[in-house]
Amino acid sequence: MTGNTSTYWEATNGAWPSTITVNLGASHSLSSVVIDLPPSASWSTRTQTLSVLGSTNGSSYSTLVASATYTFNPSTGNTVTIQLPAGTTDQYVQLSFTANSVQNGAQASEVQIFGL
């Protein structure tokens, strides 16, 4: 993304599931994914439902974290951290969104992937 959490990506309205895929360039040992939304107080608290998938080749994905609903709250920076299972090693990380409580499309300002 842009490094600026005041800007954001939004999926096509009503297009579920919507995905964001990150290519890390090579396989890495991974520990967590952090998703940010704009921190502005004009963004109300919302939930988004998503799963995290991983792949070594970019074509076949396995579920790293099953679908769950996460709360993005402006008072805590509109940030969600998702821990990945121990031993996760992948080149591609995909977020698959299936719901947003405020907007009929997935939203993200920044996606950060952390390794060991």
Side-chain angles (χ1 to χ4, degrees), residues 5 35-39 43 46 48 72 77-79 107-110:
T5 58
I35 305 166
D36 295 319
L37 291 178
W43 278 61
R46 69 199 60 220
Q48 293 196 86
F72 294 83
N78 264 349
T79 298
Q107 298 170 310
S109 285
E110 293 292 322

Side-chain angles (χ1 to χ4, degrees), residues 81-93:
T81 300
I82 303 169
Q83 297 300 319
L84 300 176
T88 298
T89 301
D90 282 309
Q91 177 175 340
Y92 298 86
V93 176

Side-chain angles (χ1 to χ4, degrees), residues 38-81:
S40 169
S42 64
W43 278 61
S44 61
T45 297
R46 69 199 60 220
T47 62
Q48 293 196 86
T49 303
L50 65 114
S51 56
V52 182
L53 304 120
S55 173
T56 56
N57 59 21
S59 59
S60 61
Y61 285 83
S62 60
T63 300
L64 301 175
V65 179
S67 182
T69 301
Y70 300 93
T71 300
F72 294 83
N73 188 327
S75 68
T76 56
N78 264 349
T79 298
V80 164
T81 300

Side-chain angles (χ1 to χ4, degrees), residues 97-112:
F97 294 83
T98 56
N100 181 331
S101 65
V102 173
Q103 177 61 31
N104 192 25
Q107 298 170 310
S109 285
E110 293 292 322
V111 175
Q112 302 172 66

